[in-house]
Amino acid sequence: MRLIAAALLALGMIASACSISTGPVAGATATSGTSAARIAGTKAADLRVRLDVLLGEQVFIVAKESAAAVNHSDDYVPYAALLTNNTAELGALLRLAFGDTAATQLMDTWSIQNGYLVDYAIGLVTHNQAKADGAMSGVENGFVPQMAQLVTSLIQLPQDPVAQLLTEQVLEIKVMIDDEAAGSFGAMYPALRTAYAQTHRLGDVLASGIAQKFPDKFPGDPSAGPVDSRVTLSVLLQESSYLSTMSTAAAAAHRDSERAAAVAALAANAAALEPAFGDVQGSSASARFAQAWQGRDDALVAYATSGDAAARQSLSQALTAPLSGIAHVPALAVRDQADATVKVVDDQRSGSSAAVAGDDRAAATAMQPIADALVEG
């Protein structure tokens, strides 16, 4: 099996890890559609996709929770609850591989990291540098070595490279929180995308190690080309959903500098989506998709800003056109995602803080059937 973990370790781990956010990985186009769909649908592939999605989601939840703290928003508590839910689902996935005891140990340790990251953001927002420094020390000197030891004991990887990977992930998140607390949105959104991409390197290593150790539970090659394409689309569409709702939140609250930075991040995401889309749907459809997707992003921000009926009507068409009209994704999947996204914007405009976090996650989750349909097609 061509393992991502082996490639990482052989080439210096981080430098050779696959970078999800920059576009598709070559390989899937050389495989017939039926064969590619079969390879991309194995249990090992499902494991990698699910790990990358959950680990990436954690980064966005931390960003949104930190933003709520900075803005003194009522969204803080719902996003904190969402972080707990994310950890529980990650634990349930790892339980399939390692069993109850080991998965519980992993998630207890993961929860320690989450607690420290929350404390770090609060320390910065309240200008309590001692609290912030203590929290980051706890992450680097407590969470990282403990998590690295657990991971390496379970899937027999060298501990130092795993610790390096975890350290780099934590430091990328720290940069994002620092920029967010300082109101440096032009730097924060690129840092958010970098942290998001970094966490998938951890997911890829874990998926490869788990699939190698438990081939009976997770048959298939998680690093095969069609799986790369499925992962690329899954995480880019998840990123698009969460960036979209960050841009609409800023637009609805008239935080103009943040809105501009979020829209720029959305454009960077769309630039990565275009070749990823073309890799599975063909180059002839790629340009049309890119144009329609840009219209989707523009319509979302316009509706969040004005909230008028005309903007809402154009939004509905803009959300469905790139996927149903061009990619021929099943209409129900497209409609579900479009409805979920509009609901988030309505929550933001009406100040429905209790509902927004759950609806935000529902919109992002609804992207996953779309990614799978694109690969199957």
Side-chain angles (χ1 to χ4, degrees):
M1 181 183 288
R2 179 172 58 87
L3 294 176
I4 295 172
L8 291 175
L9 297 174
L11 300 179
M13 196 160 203
I14 305 303
S16 63
C18 62
S19 181
I20 296 299
S21 66
T22 57
V25 180
T29 53
T31 310
S32 69
T34 301
S35 177
R38 186 180 68 252
I39 293 169
T42 63
K43 289 187 177 181
D46 291 344
L47 172 69
R48 181 180 167 198
V49 170
R50 189 67 179 145
L51 275 171
D52 280 2
V53 164
L54 286 171
L55 291 171
E57 181 179 64
Q58 182 236 15
V59 174
F60 268 102
I61 295 172
V62 169
K64 287 167 178 277
E65 188 179 29
S66 299
V70 169
N71 296 319
H72 306 287
S73 167
D74 292 338
D75 296 353
Y76 180 85
V77 172
Y79 278 108
L82 199 58
L83 192 59
T84 301
N85 293 342
N86 170 271
T87 301
E89 291 194 19
L90 184 59
L93 180 62
L94 294 177
R95 193 167 289 113
L96 297 175
F98 302 122
D100 290 342
T101 300
T104 298
Q105 289 177 321
L106 285 167
M107 289 304 95
D108 285 348
T109 305
W110 193 256
S111 295
I112 290 171
Q113 175 203 204
N114 286 340
Y116 280 135
L117 291 174
V118 170
D119 285 347
Y120 180 72
I122 292 174
L124 293 182
V125 170
T126 59
H127 307 290
N128 186 339
Q129 194 61 47
K131 182 182 181 71
D133 291 344
M136 193 48 58
S137 176
V139 174
E140 294 176 354
N141 302 316
F143 161 73
V144 167
Q146 187 176 347
M147 191 70 179
Q149 183 178 24
L150 281 170
V151 168
T152 56
S153 69
L154 291 169
I155 53 177
Q156 287 75 55
L157 291 175
Q159 185 169 336
D160 286 348
V162 173
Q164 177 188 349
L165 185 61
L166 288 165
T167 297
E168 293 198 9
Q169 177 183 333
V170 167
L171 291 178
E172 296 291 357
I173 295 175
K174 176 184 181 297
V175 170
M176 174 195 72
I177 296 174
D178 287 344
D179 291 334
E180 194 160 38
S184 301
F185 299 113
M188 188 278 284
Y189 276 93
L192 170 58
R193 297 196 72 230
T194 299
Y196 182 72
Q198 174 70 22
T199 198
H200 299 130
R201 299 185 174 103
L202 174 62
D204 291 344
V205 168
L206 289 174
S208 291
I210 292 170
Q212 184 180 38
K213 184 169 183 179
F214 304 107
D216 54 331
K217 295 180 180 179
F218 303 101
D221 181 358
S223 60
V227 184
D228 287 337
S229 291
R230 181 183 171 196
V231 171
T232 299
L233 283 166
S234 293
V235 300
L236 285 173
L237 287 171
Q238 180 190 52
E239 181 185 51
S240 175
S241 183
Y242 278 130
L243 284 174
S244 293
T245 54
M246 293 180 83
S247 68
T248 55
H254 304 290
R255 299 193 298 266
D256 292 340
S257 61
E258 182 181 358
R259 177 194 54 76
V263 167
L266 263 179
N269 168 271
L273 260 174
E274 180 179 355
F277 177 89
D279 194 48
V280 297
Q281 292 284 313
S283 58
S284 62
S286 183
R288 289 188 295 126
F289 169 83
Q291 183 178 8
W293 198 259
Q294 183 62 58
R296 170 195 183 275
D297 292 342
D298 293 344
L300 273 171
V301 175
Y303 175 57
T305 302
S306 67
D308 63 45
R312 198 180 201 280
Q313 185 175 2
S314 66
L315 173 60
S316 179
Q317 175 61 24
L319 288 175
T320 58
L323 296 170
S324 63
I326 299 172
H328 308 294
V329 172
L332 180 61
V334 176
R335 187 167 60 249
D336 285 349
Q337 205 287 321
D339 290 346
T341 302
V342 172
K343 194 171 190 307
V344 178
V345 181
D346 287 341
D347 290 340
Q348 292 167 339
R349 288 192 53 79
S350 65
S352 301
S353 298
V356 69
D359 291 340
D360 198 1
R361 192 185 201 208
T365 301
M367 284 293 195
Q368 297 313 303
I370 292 172
D372 291 344
L374 286 168
V375 175
E376 291 167 3

